[in-house]
Coordinates of all heavy atoms in Angstrom, one line a residue:
D9 N -6.3 -6.1 -11.6 CA -7.6 -5.4 -11.3 C -7.3 -4.0 -10.8 O -6.5 -3.8 -9.9 CB -8.4 -6.1 -10.2 CG -8.8 -7.5 -10.6 OD1 -8.9 -7.8 -11.8 OD2 -9.1 -8.3 -9.7
H24 N 5.8 13.6 -1.6 CA 5.7 13.2 -0.2 C 4.2 13.1 0.2 O 3.4 14.0 -0.1 CB 6.4 14.2 0.7 CG 7.8 14.4 0.3 ND1 8.8 13.4 0.3 CD2 8.5 15.5 -0.1 CE1 9.9 13.9 -0.1 NE2 9.8 15.2 -0.4
R39 N -2.5 -10.4 -10.1 CA -2.8 -11.8 -9.8 C -2.1 -12.7 -10.8 O -2.2 -12.5 -12.1 CB -4.3 -11.8 -10.1 CG -5.1 -13.1 -9.9 CD -6.5 -12.9 -10.4 NE -7.3 -11.9 -9.8 CZ -8.4 -12.1 -9.0 NH1 -8.8 -13.3 -8.8 NH2 -9.1 -11.1 -8.6
Y49 N -1.0 -13.4 -5.3 CA -1.5 -12.0 -5.3 C -0.5 -11.0 -4.7 O 0.2 -11.3 -3.7 CB -2.8 -11.9 -4.4 CG -3.9 -12.8 -4.8 CD1 -4.1 -14.0 -4.2 CD2 -4.7 -12.5 -5.9 CE1 -5.0 -14.9 -4.5 CE2 -5.7 -13.4 -6.3 CZ -5.9 -14.6 -5.6 OH -6.8 -15.5 -6.0
F51 N -0.6 -6.5 -4.1 CA -1.2 -5.2 -4.4 C -0.2 -4.3 -5.1 O 1.0 -4.4 -4.8 CB -1.7 -4.5 -3.1 CG -3.0 -5.1 -2.7 CD1 -3.0 -6.1 -1.7 CD2 -4.2 -4.8 -3.3 CE1 -4.2 -6.7 -1.3 CE2 -5.4 -5.4 -2.9 CZ -5.4 -6.4 -1.9
P71 N 5.7 -21.6 -11.8 CA 5.7 -20.4 -10.9 C 6.7 -20.6 -9.7 O 7.1 -19.6 -9.1 CB 4.3 -20.3 -10.4 CG 3.7 -21.6 -10.6 CD 4.3 -22.2 -11.8
L81 N 13.6 -11.1 -15.7 CA 13.0 -9.7 -15.6 C 14.1 -8.7 -15.4 O 14.1 -7.6 -15.9 CB 11.9 -9.6 -14.5 CG 10.7 -10.4 -14.8 CD1 9.7 -10.4 -13.6 CD2 9.9 -9.9 -16.0
Y130 N 9.4 0.6 14.5 CA 9.5 2.0 14.9 C 8.4 2.7 14.2 O 8.0 2.4 13.1 CB 10.9 2.6 14.6 CG 11.4 2.6 13.1 CD1 11.0 3.6 12.3 CD2 12.2 1.6 12.7 CE1 11.5 3.6 10.9 CE2 12.7 1.7 11.4 CZ 12.3 2.7 10.5 OH 12.8 2.7 9.2
M134 N 5.3 10.8 8.9 CA 5.3 11.4 7.6 C 6.2 12.6 7.6 O 6.7 13.0 8.7 CB 3.9 11.9 7.3 CG 2.9 10.8 6.8 SD 1.3 11.5 6.4 CE 0.6 10.1 5.6
E140 N -1.9 22.8 11.5 CA -2.2 23.0 13.0 C -2.5 21.6 13.6 O -3.5 21.0 13.1 CB -3.3 24.0 13.1 CG -3.3 24.7 14.5 CD -2.0 25.4 14.8 OE1 -1.5 26.2 14.0 OE2 -1.6 25.2 15.9
R159 N 1.3 4.4 22.7 CA 0.7 3.3 21.9 C 1.6 2.0 22.0 O 1.1 0.9 21.7 CB 0.7 3.8 20.4 CG 0.4 2.8 19.4 CD -1.1 2.5 19.3 NE -1.4 1.5 18.2 CZ -1.3 0.2 18.3 NH1 -0.9 -0.3 19.4 NH2 -1.6 -0.6 17.3
I164 N 11.3 5.5 17.4 CA 10.6 6.5 16.5 C 11.6 7.0 15.5 O 12.7 7.3 15.8 CB 10.1 7.6 17.5 CG1 8.9 7.1 18.3 CG2 9.7 8.8 16.6 CD1 8.6 8.0 19.4
D178 N 15.8 22.9 6.5 CA 16.5 23.8 7.4 C 17.2 22.9 8.4 O 16.5 22.3 9.3 CB 15.5 24.7 8.0 CG 16.2 25.7 9.0 OD1 17.3 25.3 9.5 OD2 15.6 26.7 9.3
Q234 N 23.4 9.4 -5.2 CA 24.2 9.1 -6.4 C 25.7 9.5 -6.1 O 26.6 9.0 -6.9 CB 23.7 10.0 -7.5 CG 22.3 9.5 -7.9 CD 21.7 10.3 -9.1 OE1 21.9 9.8 -10.2 NE2 21.1 11.4 -8.8
Q245 N 33.6 10.4 9.1 CA 33.7 11.4 10.1 C 32.8 11.3 11.3 O 33.0 11.8 12.4 CB 33.6 12.8 9.5 CG 34.6 13.0 8.4 CD 34.6 14.5 8.0 OE1 34.9 15.4 8.7 NE2 34.2 14.7 6.7
G252 N 22.3 3.6 4.5 CA 22.0 3.8 3.1 C 22.7 2.7 2.3 O 23.5 1.9 2.9
I267 N 29.2 -1.5 0.4 CA 29.9 -2.2 1.5 C 31.4 -2.2 1.2 O 32.2 -1.8 2.0 CB 29.4 -3.7 1.5 CG1 28.0 -3.7 2.0 CG2 30.3 -4.5 2.5 CD1 27.3 -5.1 2.0
G277 N 17.5 -1.2 2.3 CA 16.8 -1.6 1.1 C 15.5 -2.3 1.5 O 15.4 -2.8 2.6
C295 N 24.9 -8.7 3.7 CA 25.3 -7.9 4.8 C 25.7 -8.7 6.0 O 26.7 -8.4 6.6 CB 24.1 -7.0 5.3 SG 23.6 -5.8 4.0
H313 N 7.9 -10.3 6.1 CA 8.3 -11.7 6.0 C 9.8 -11.8 5.9 O 10.4 -12.7 6.5 CB 7.6 -12.4 4.8 CG 6.2 -12.8 5.1 ND1 5.9 -13.9 5.8 CD2 5.0 -12.2 4.8 CE1 4.5 -14.0 5.9 NE2 4.0 -13.0 5.3
C316 N 11.4 -11.4 9.2 CA 11.2 -12.5 10.1 C 12.1 -13.7 9.7 O 12.2 -14.7 10.3 CB 9.8 -12.9 10.1 SG 8.8 -11.7 11.1
Y325 N 11.3 -3.0 12.1 CA 10.3 -2.9 11.0 C 9.8 -1.4 10.9 O 9.5 -0.8 12.0 CB 9.1 -3.8 11.3 CG 7.9 -3.7 10.4 CD1 7.9 -4.3 9.2 CD2 6.8 -2.9 10.7 CE1 6.8 -4.3 8.3 CE2 5.7 -2.9 9.9 CZ 5.7 -3.5 8.7 OH 4.7 -3.4 7.8
L329 N 3.9 5.3 6.7 CA 4.2 6.5 7.4 C 3.0 7.0 8.3 O 1.9 6.9 7.8 CB 4.6 7.6 6.5 CG 5.9 7.2 5.6 CD1 6.3 8.3 4.6 CD2 7.1 6.7 6.4
P347 N -1.8 -6.0 7.5 CA -0.8 -7.0 7.5 C 0.2 -6.9 8.7 O 1.0 -7.8 8.8 CB -0.1 -6.9 6.2 CG -0.3 -5.5 5.8 CD -1.6 -5.0 6.4
G365 N -0.1 -13.9 3.4 CA -1.0 -13.9 4.5 C -2.0 -12.7 4.4 O -2.6 -12.3 5.4

Side-chain angles (χ1 to χ4, degrees):
D9 292 340
H24 308 296
R39 180 190 302 249
Y49 306 96
F51 286 95
L81 292 174
Y130 60 84
M134 283 185 168
E140 203 54 49
R159 168 79 178 81
I164 289 166
D178 181 338
Q234 296 183 92
Q245 299 189 69
I267 293 173
C295 293
H313 280 280
C316 287
Y325 174 80
L329 301 179

